[in-house]
Amino acid sequence: KFMLTQPHSVSESPGKTVTISCTRSSGRIATNYVHWCQQRPGSAPTTVIYEDDQRPSAVPDRFSGSIDRSSNSASLTISGLKTEDEADYYCYSFDSSINGVVFGGGTRLTVL
Amino acid sequence: EVRLLESGGGLVQPGGSLRLSCAASGFTFSNYAMTWVRQAPGRGLEWVSGITNNGDTTSYSDSVKGRFTVSRDNSKYTLFLQMNSLRADDTAVYYCAKDRGVAATRPGDSWGQGTLVAVSS
């Protein structure tokens, strides 16, 4: 079973751009899709990026996703930060060795 | 509009049982796999279980294997999670999530609002 490692927290100012990383511990990052969800305090998760770089229609184009094979990681980038983007962000991916889903530990984004 | 509504949570004593339900609407339920994810207080998201669209294949995390059973009634657009031998560390908000396909490999197309399970004496 692989692990997905995220920074515990990041912070940035409104209007700026922030990137959250998600590093896979073993196996290739491109083997299975990486997805990202946002969870605001007291709310259920919502997906902001699926299948590495796809954005649901309701999610603003300030959100983008990518994978980097050289660092075996995925990234979520949010540009033009707004205070409403303050939330926890989780990456996750399917692991065929357990026939289940692995979640990263989550990253708390503070917009200040 | 896709809607997922969990129910069945509550306070239960250690060793007890609960059955969670997830009522689905707004899509053809039998065409999609489903997943249960939980979140303990102050902790991150944890995958619990997945089930394929027709219910033929199920999977469980090691922490719940042998105690939890996932099932679905496609005619009633409902997903279930039978939880037995509950322990204090099962205390969490339980979310159901719709998959993007039939195989429970790409969950998160939609999420429910969650139901709280508290295991305590």
Side-chain angles (χ1 to χ4, degrees), chain A residues 28-67:
Chain A
R28 291 179 290 182
I29 190 70
T31 299
N32 299 96
Y33 287 122
V34 176
H35 317 275
W36 293 87
C37 64
Q38 175 195 68
Q39 188 178 35
R40 294 190 174 104
S43 297
T46 61
T47 296
V48 291
I49 294 291
Y50 67 97
E51 294 176 2
D52 297 340
D53 57 5
Q54 300 300 300
R55 189 178 59 249
S57 57
V59 174
D61 60 7
R62 302 184 296 105
F63 289 77
S64 63
S66 63
I67 62 169

Side-chain angles (χ1 to χ4, degrees), chain B:
Chain B
E1 179 189 4
V2 172
R3 288 184 181 267
L4 299 171
L5 184 62
E6 302 93 337
S7 60
L11 176 63
V12 62
Q13 292 188 336
S17 298
L18 276 178
R19 189 193 198 200
L20 305 185
S21 298
C22 170
S25 61
F27 65 102
T28 304
F29 187 66
S30 60
N31 287 351
Y32 294 94
M34 297 293 292
T35 291
W36 287 100
V37 173
R38 69 183 180 183
Q39 186 171 38
R43 305 296 295 271
L45 300 175
E46 178 190 13
W47 172 75
V48 173
S49 180
I51 184 169
T52 53
N53 67 311
N54 57 14
D56 282 0
T57 301
T58 59
S59 53
Y60 303 91
S61 67
D62 286 346
S63 58
V64 308
K65 198 173 295 182
R67 300 186 299 122
F68 290 12
T69 302
V70 63
S71 62
R72 62 192 295 160
D73 185 336
N74 284 349
S75 67
K76 295 184 178 178
Y77 275 50
T78 305
L79 173 72
F80 302 102
L81 186 67
Q82 177 66 43
M83 305 186 296
N84 298 331
S85 303
L86 282 162
R87 313 185 303 220
D89 62 359
D90 294 316
T91 295
V93 175
Y94 285 72
Y95 298 100
C96 63
K98 172 184 173 290
D99 202 275
R100 294 187 181 280
V102 300
T105 60
R106 296 176 292 157
D109 188 29
S110 293
W111 299 78
Q113 89 295 338
T115 187
L116 175 63
V117 172
V119 184
S120 174
S121 54

